[in-house]
Coordinates of all heavy atoms in Angstrom, one line a residue:
T208 N -12.3 5.7 -6.1 CA -11.8 6.9 -5.4 C -10.5 6.7 -4.7 O -9.6 7.6 -4.8 CB -12.9 7.5 -4.5 OG1 -13.3 6.5 -3.5 CG2 -14.2 7.8 -5.2
S209 N -10.4 5.6 -4.1 CA -9.2 5.4 -3.3 C -7.9 4.9 -4.1 O -6.8 4.9 -3.8 CB -9.4 4.4 -2.2 OG -9.6 3.1 -2.9
G210 N -8.3 4.4 -5.3 CA -7.3 3.7 -6.2 C -7.1 2.3 -5.9 O -6.3 1.6 -6.6
H211 N -7.8 1.7 -4.9 CA -7.6 0.4 -4.5 C -8.3 -0.6 -5.4 O -7.9 -1.8 -5.5 CB -8.0 0.1 -3.0 CG -7.1 0.8 -2.1 ND1 -7.6 1.3 -0.8 CD2 -5.9 1.3 -2.1 CE1 -6.7 1.8 -0.1 NE2 -5.6 1.9 -1.0
S212 N -9.2 -0.2 -6.1 CA -10.0 -1.1 -7.1 C -9.8 -0.6 -8.5 O -10.0 0.7 -8.7 CB -11.5 -1.1 -6.8 OG -11.7 -1.6 -5.5
T213 N -9.5 -1.4 -9.4 CA -9.3 -1.1 -10.8 C -9.9 -2.2 -11.6 O -10.1 -3.3 -11.1 CB -7.9 -0.9 -11.2 OG1 -7.1 -2.1 -10.9 CG2 -7.2 0.2 -10.4
N214 N -10.2 -1.9 -12.8 CA -10.7 -2.8 -13.8 C -10.3 -2.5 -15.2 O -10.1 -1.3 -15.5 CB -12.2 -2.8 -13.7 CG -12.9 -4.1 -14.2 OD1 -12.2 -4.9 -14.8 ND2 -14.2 -4.2 -14.0
Y215 N -10.1 -3.5 -16.0 CA -9.6 -3.3 -17.4 C -10.3 -4.1 -18.3 O -10.7 -5.2 -18.1 CB -8.1 -3.7 -17.4 CG -7.1 -2.9 -16.6 CD1 -6.9 -3.3 -15.3 CD2 -6.6 -1.8 -17.1 CE1 -6.0 -2.6 -14.5 CE2 -5.7 -0.9 -16.3 CZ -5.4 -1.4 -15.0 OH -4.6 -0.7 -14.2
A216 N -10.5 -3.5 -19.5 CA -11.0 -4.4 -20.6 C -10.0 -5.4 -21.0 O -8.8 -5.3 -20.8 CB -11.3 -3.4 -21.9
D217 N -10.6 -6.7 -21.4 CA -9.7 -7.7 -21.7 C -8.6 -7.3 -22.8 O -7.5 -7.8 -22.7 CB -10.5 -8.9 -22.2 CG -11.3 -9.6 -21.1 OD1 -10.9 -9.4 -19.8 OD2 -12.3 -10.4 -21.4
S218 N -9.1 -6.5 -23.7 CA -8.2 -6.2 -24.8 C -7.0 -5.4 -24.4 O -6.0 -5.2 -25.2 CB -8.9 -5.4 -25.9 OG -9.5 -4.2 -25.3
V219 N -6.9 -4.8 -23.2 CA -5.9 -3.9 -22.7 C -5.2 -4.4 -21.5 O -4.1 -3.9 -21.1 CB -6.3 -2.5 -22.5 CG1 -7.0 -1.9 -23.7 CG2 -7.2 -2.3 -21.2
K220 N -5.7 -5.6 -21.0 CA -5.1 -6.1 -19.7 C -3.6 -6.5 -20.0 O -3.3 -7.0 -21.0 CB -5.8 -7.3 -19.2 CG -7.0 -7.1 -18.5 CD -7.8 -8.3 -18.0 CE -9.1 -7.9 -17.3 NZ -9.8 -9.2 -16.9
G221 N -2.8 -6.1 -19.0 CA -1.3 -6.5 -19.2 C -0.6 -5.3 -20.0 O 0.7 -5.3 -20.0
R222 N -1.3 -4.4 -20.6 CA -0.6 -3.4 -21.5 C -0.9 -2.0 -20.9 O -0.1 -1.2 -21.0 CB -1.1 -3.5 -22.9 CG -0.8 -4.8 -23.6 CD -1.1 -4.8 -25.1 NE -2.5 -4.5 -25.4 CZ -3.0 -3.4 -26.1 NH1 -2.1 -2.5 -26.5 NH2 -4.3 -3.2 -26.3
F223 N -2.1 -1.8 -20.4 CA -2.5 -0.5 -19.9 C -2.5 -0.5 -18.3 O -2.8 -1.6 -17.7 CB -3.9 -0.1 -20.4 CG -3.9 0.2 -21.8 CD1 -2.9 0.0 -22.7 CD2 -5.1 0.8 -22.4 CE1 -3.0 0.3 -24.1 CE2 -5.2 1.1 -23.7 CZ -4.1 0.8 -24.5
T224 N -2.1 0.6 -17.8 CA -2.2 0.7 -16.2 C -2.8 2.0 -15.9 O -2.5 3.1 -16.3 CB -0.8 0.7 -15.6 OG1 -0.2 -0.5 -16.0 CG2 -0.9 0.7 -14.1
I225 N -3.9 2.0 -15.1 CA -4.6 3.2 -14.6 C -4.1 3.5 -13.2 O -3.8 2.6 -12.4 CB -6.2 3.0 -14.6 CG1 -6.9 4.3 -14.4 CG2 -6.6 1.9 -13.6 CD1 -8.3 4.2 -14.7
S226 N -3.9 4.8 -12.9 CA -3.5 5.2 -11.5 C -4.0 6.6 -11.3 O -4.6 7.2 -12.2 CB -2.0 5.2 -11.5 OG -1.4 6.2 -12.4
R227 N -3.9 7.0 -10.1 CA -4.5 8.3 -9.9 C -3.6 9.0 -8.7 O -3.0 8.2 -7.9 CB -5.9 8.3 -9.4 CG -6.2 7.5 -8.1 CD -7.7 7.4 -7.9 NE -8.4 8.7 -7.7 CZ -9.7 8.9 -8.0 NH1 -10.4 7.8 -8.5 NH2 -10.3 10.1 -7.8
D228 N -3.5 10.3 -8.8 CA -2.8 11.2 -7.8 C -3.9 12.2 -7.4 O -4.0 13.2 -8.0 CB -1.6 11.8 -8.4 CG -0.8 12.6 -7.4 OD1 -1.3 12.9 -6.3 OD2 0.4 12.8 -7.6
N229 N -4.6 11.9 -6.3 CA -5.6 12.8 -5.9 C -5.1 14.2 -5.4 O -5.8 15.2 -5.6 CB -6.5 12.3 -4.7 CG -7.4 11.0 -5.3 OD1 -7.7 11.0 -6.3 ND2 -7.8 10.2 -4.2
A230 N -3.9 14.2 -4.9 CA -3.3 15.5 -4.6 C -3.0 16.4 -5.8 O -3.1 17.6 -5.7 CB -2.0 15.2 -3.9
K231 N -2.9 15.8 -7.0 CA -2.7 16.5 -8.2 C -4.0 16.6 -9.0 O -4.0 17.1 -10.2 CB -1.5 15.9 -9.0 CG -0.2 16.1 -8.4 CD 0.9 15.5 -9.3 CE 2.2 15.7 -8.6 NZ 3.3 15.0 -9.5
N232 N -5.1 16.1 -8.5 CA -6.3 16.1 -9.2 C -6.2 15.3 -10.6 O -6.8 15.9 -11.6 CB -7.0 17.5 -9.3 CG -7.7 17.8 -8.1 OD1 -8.1 17.0 -7.3 ND2 -7.9 19.1 -7.9
T233 N -5.4 14.4 -10.6 CA -5.1 13.7 -12.0 C -5.2 12.2 -11.9 O -4.8 11.6 -10.9 CB -3.7 14.2 -12.4 OG1 -3.6 15.6 -12.4 CG2 -3.4 13.6 -13.8
V234 N -5.8 11.6 -12.9 CA -5.8 10.3 -13.3 C -5.0 10.0 -14.5 O -5.1 10.7 -15.5 CB -7.2 9.7 -13.4 CG1 -7.3 8.3 -13.8 CG2 -8.0 9.9 -12.0
Y235 N -4.2 9.0 -14.5 CA -3.3 8.7 -15.6 C -3.8 7.3 -16.3 O -4.3 6.4 -15.5 CB -1.9 8.5 -15.1 CG -1.4 9.7 -14.4 CD1 -1.3 9.8 -13.1 CD2 -0.9 10.8 -15.2 CE1 -0.9 10.9 -12.4 CE2 -0.4 11.9 -14.5 CZ -0.4 12.1 -13.2 OH 0.1 13.1 -12.5
L236 N -3.5 7.2 -17.5 CA -3.6 5.8 -18.2 C -2.3 5.6 -18.9 O -2.1 6.4 -20.0 CB -4.7 5.8 -19.1 CG -5.0 4.5 -19.8 CD1 -5.6 3.5 -18.7 CD2 -6.1 4.7 -20.9
Q237 N -1.5 4.8 -18.4 CA -0.2 4.4 -19.1 C -0.4 3.3 -20.1 O -1.1 2.3 -19.7 CB 0.8 4.0 -18.0 CG 2.1 3.4 -18.6 CD 2.9 4.6 -19.3 OE1 3.0 5.6 -18.7 NE2 3.4 4.4 -20.4
M238 N -0.2 3.6 -21.3 CA -0.5 2.5 -22.4 C 0.9 2.1 -23.0 O 1.6 3.0 -23.6 CB -1.4 3.3 -23.4 CG -2.6 3.9 -22.8 SD -3.8 4.5 -24.1 CE -2.9 5.7 -24.9
N239 N 1.1 0.9 -22.9 CA 2.3 0.3 -23.5 C 1.9 -0.8 -24.4 O 0.8 -1.2 -24.6 CB 3.1 -0.4 -22.4 CG 3.6 0.6 -21.3 OD1 3.8 1.7 -21.5 ND2 3.7 -0.1 -20.0
S240 N 2.9 -1.2 -25.4 CA 2.7 -2.1 -26.3 C 1.5 -1.9 -27.2 O 0.7 -2.7 -27.4 CB 2.6 -3.5 -25.7 OG 3.7 -3.8 -25.0
L241 N 1.4 -0.6 -27.7 CA 0.2 -0.1 -28.4 C 0.1 -0.9 -29.6 O 1.1 -1.2 -30.4 CB 0.3 1.4 -28.5 CG -0.1 2.2 -27.3 CD1 0.4 3.6 -27.4 CD2 -1.6 2.1 -27.1
K242 N -1.2 -1.1 -30.1 CA -1.4 -1.8 -31.4 C -2.4 -0.8 -32.2 O -3.0 0.1 -31.6 CB -2.3 -3.0 -31.0 CG -1.6 -4.0 -30.0 CD -2.5 -5.1 -29.7 CE -1.8 -6.1 -28.7 NZ -2.7 -7.3 -28.4
P243 N -2.4 -1.0 -33.5 CA -3.2 -0.2 -34.3 C -4.7 -0.2 -33.9 O -5.4 0.8 -34.0 CB -3.0 -0.9 -35.7 CG -1.7 -1.4 -35.7 CD -1.5 -1.9 -34.3
E244 N -5.1 -1.3 -33.4 CA -6.5 -1.4 -32.9 C -6.8 -0.5 -31.6 O -8.0 -0.4 -31.2 CB -7.0 -2.9 -32.7 CG -6.0 -3.7 -31.9 CD -5.1 -4.5 -32.6 OE1 -4.6 -4.0 -33.6 OE2 -4.9 -5.7 -32.2
D245 N -5.8 0.0 -31.1 CA -6.1 0.9 -29.9 C -6.3 2.3 -30.5 O -6.6 3.2 -29.6 CB -4.7 1.0 -29.1 CG -4.4 -0.3 -28.3 OD1 -5.4 -0.9 -27.9 OD2 -3.3 -0.7 -28.3
T246 N -6.2 2.6 -31.8 CA -6.5 4.0 -32.2 C -8.0 4.3 -31.9 O -8.9 3.5 -32.3 CB -6.2 3.9 -33.8 OG1 -4.9 3.7 -34.0 CG2 -6.6 5.2 -34.4
A247 N -8.1 5.4 -31.4 CA -9.4 5.9 -31.0 C -9.3 7.2 -30.3 O -8.2 7.8 -30.0 CB -10.1 4.9 -30.0

């Protein structure tokens, strides 16, 4: 809820970043270096 704790699957560590803006009621998932196996 605070954004201070995050966790990632091993397959996306170093490529994806989760963040949140509670004032905007929004959570983001920034996905970089995408691979075909990320298709879903």
Side-chain angles (χ1 to χ4, degrees):
T208 55
S209 67
H211 292 156
S212 296
T213 60
N214 201 351
Y215 296 92
D217 288 342
S218 59
V219 307
K220 280 181 182 176
R222 300 188 298 123
F223 290 12
T224 303
I225 192 170
S226 62
R227 65 190 296 156
D228 186 339
N229 286 338
K231 294 183 178 180
N232 276 342
T233 303
V234 172
Y235 304 98
L236 185 68
Q237 178 67 45
M238 306 188 297
N239 299 328
S240 302
L241 282 161
K242 305 175 181 180
E244 50 264 43
D245 295 317
T246 296

